[in-house]
Amino acid sequence: MKKYLPFLLLPMALASCDSRHTIEVCNDSDIARNGEIAQVALSEIRKAVGQGSFVITDGESAEVPYQITYDSLVIFPATVAANSTVIYNVAPGVPSQVDTVACGAFYERRKDDLTWENDKAAYRAYGPALQASGERAFGYDVWTKSVGHPVVAKRYRDAFAKVASFHEDHGEGMDVYTVGPTLGAGTAALVDSLGDIRYPWCFESYEILDNGPLRFSVRLTYPSGAFGCDSAVRESRLISLDSGEFLNRTEVCFDGLSDKATVAPGIVLHRHNPDGYVLDNENSFMACADLTDNPDGQNGVIYIGVVAPQADTVVLRQMDKPEGDAVAHLLAKSGYNPGDAYVYYWGSGWSKGFMPDWEQWTDYLADFGRRMGHPLKVSVK
């Protein structure tokens, strides 16, 4: 398994107790946070422990893994009871190696796939080679997982070597979700005045910003002239996936729009279970239970969800003409000002993996929205 050293290691022993400082993590919500990624500015850590490497430990002196992100944050998993504060320690020292949980890569050989994962699920965005091929696949794809360690690179190796198929479960999950010319599992798109979706193209370029061990981040840019819009309109997306979470945080920005618009993350509904969905305007989420592209194949159920705190409304939009097995979209519509950053969350769980049933999935989405409304507050003392 890939190991990651979170920062430059210097030849020093763990400092004595009197050089330690504390990191306070406050949870002001009524929801317990179990292994949730907390974050604090690296500059705050540096003020406390200097410029060398450092170690974070919990109240029982157990070392806590961490990562320094591209935007100079220190992130680490924190467990904090509801309406409580937990104290961690930080001191100069050499951190242990950390198992990689969240990671991704660009797979040029497979028509420019950008595929990433954490311990809960894997996701794929399609790139320029697939666009050039004429295949129409606009949305995010889902790869199911039933193991907590990285599997994507192995799946590609096995597929290229023709020793195993993506589409069969070899004990760790598979690719049994259909995207096609839809928004797939949570892609955001512009929506016109008639309510029609202006489908995005495949991404034009990518930049991987963080590649584990605890967070994967990538910036995707999209070509001008997509979305059935003026050629000046361009889109960028900043996607991040943390260990322990089922949902990706995504920040979308449209430049070149001449006026206010409507943006909507969407989830495709397939004919196998067209009524298996929920629209929750009170908690700003929507979800569906997708029976996979082979409902009779004992492949379980893929639960898809979008949490959109900025949404004005979540609605069902039937397709005027079905696209293969796709018959409708769930849409979380929001007003959008040109150049703004629109933030929402999307992702999946699998009934044969880490999300056993529909009730737990919808509970997770509701709790997720409340957690995002009450982020953990972190300070260095």
Side-chain angles (χ1 to χ4, degrees):
M1 181 179 295
K2 180 181 176 183
K3 303 285 185 178
Y4 177 91
L5 299 181
F7 199 68
L8 177 65
L9 302 185
L10 301 180
M12 55 170 40
L14 183 64
S16 60
C17 291
D18 57 7
S19 66
R20 296 182 184 182
H21 292 72
T22 61
I23 304 174
E24 294 186 1
V25 182
C26 175
N27 173 16
D28 64 1
S29 76
D30 59 0
I31 303 172
R33 321 299 265 268
N34 297 309
E36 182 173 325
I37 294 298
Q39 59 188 41
V40 64
L42 175 61
S43 60
E44 294 302 305
I45 299 288
R46 291 282 174 239
K47 289 177 185 178
V49 300
Q51 296 301 310
S53 61
F54 56 89
V55 174
I56 299 174
T57 54
D58 64 17
E60 297 181 353
S61 299
E63 189 171 349
V64 176
Y66 69 87
Q67 175 182 337
I68 297 176
T69 66
Y70 82 97
D71 50 352
S72 298
L73 298 173
V74 176
I75 63 172
F76 60 95
T79 296
V80 193
N83 299 303
S84 299
T85 297
V86 169
I87 304 299
Y88 291 86
N89 297 304
V90 59
V94 178
S96 301
Q97 291 185 327
V98 178
D99 288 341
T100 296
V101 178
C103 57
F106 178 70
Y107 293 92
E108 181 178 11
R109 185 174 174 184
R110 223 306 305 181
K111 295 185 179 179
D112 294 348
D113 288 353
L114 194 289
T115 310
W116 66 99
E117 64 185 309
N118 68 356
D119 49 327
K120 303 299 184 185
Y123 302 98
R124 175 165 59 170
Y126 299 108
L130 187 134
Q131 179 80 33
S133 75
E135 183 177 343
R136 300 168 70 230
F138 307 137
Y140 297 125
D141 191 18
V142 170
W143 285 10
T144 64
K145 286 184 66 173
S146 57
V147 293
H149 57 266
V151 297
V152 165
K154 178 180 181 295
R155 290 188 192 180
Y156 276 103
R157 287 196 303 269
D158 289 348
F160 295 153
K162 298 183 179 181
V163 298
S165 168
F166 287 157
H167 306 287
E168 297 175 359
D169 185 3
H170 301 282
E172 58 187 28
M174 55 188 159
D175 175 16
V176 282
Y177 182 74
T178 299
V179 178
T182 76
L183 297 179
T187 300
L190 296 172
V191 178
D192 67 19
S193 59
L194 298 177
D196 293 331
I197 299 167
R198 297 299 186 183
Y199 291 102
W201 292 353
C202 301
F203 68 82
E204 181 178 56
S205 63
Y206 75 97
E207 180 185 8
I208 293 176
L209 304 172
D210 294 310
N211 210 354
L214 303 176
R215 173 175 292 172
F216 173 83
S217 301
V218 64
R219 179 174 284 111
L220 302 177
T221 58
Y222 287 76
S224 59
F227 326 109
C229 298
D230 184 271
S231 61
V233 178
R234 294 183 65 86
E235 179 193 5
S236 64
R237 303 178 194 169
L238 177 59
I239 303 169
S240 62
L241 179 64
D242 286 350
S243 65
E245 297 289 5
F246 291 91
L247 303 187
N248 298 266
R249 181 187 187 276
T250 299
E251 183 177 308
V252 178
C253 183
F254 294 95
D255 287 318
L257 289 171
S258 59
D259 201 358
K260 188 172 181 178
T262 298
V263 65
I267 302 172
V268 66
L269 295 181
H270 293 110
R271 64 177 178 83
H272 308 302
N273 192 23
D275 300 319
Y277 67 89
V278 64
L279 300 170
D280 190 325
N281 274 285
E282 180 179 355
N283 294 296
S284 298
F285 79 80
M286 55 190 187
C288 78
D290 193 286
L291 303 185
T292 80
D293 59 14
N294 181 14
D296 299 323
Q298 306 295 316
N299 293 325
V301 180
I302 301 173
Y303 302 115
I304 310 294
V306 164
V307 176
Q310 297 172 246
D312 300 319
T313 184
V314 288
V315 300
L316 173 69
R317 171 70 175 179
Q318 296 285 351
M319 291 181 173
D320 295 331
K321 180 181 178 181
E323 291 279 1
D325 287 336
V327 296
H329 278 98
L330 307 178
L331 297 174
K333 292 185 176 182
S334 302
Y336 178 80
N337 293 311
D340 280 359
Y342 176 80
V343 177
Y344 72 101
Y345 307 85
W346 61 275
S348 67
W350 189 36
S351 64
K352 298 181 72 173
F354 304 103
M355 187 55 63
D357 58 47
W358 175 250
E359 182 178 5
Q360 290 189 51
W361 179 240
T362 54
D363 286 348
Y364 171 82
L365 296 176
D367 283 351
F368 185 93
R370 299 210 304 273
R371 286 194 287 122
M372 295 304 100
H374 293 268
L376 295 173
K377 299 176 180 177
V378 185
S379 58
V380 180
K381 305 293 184 180

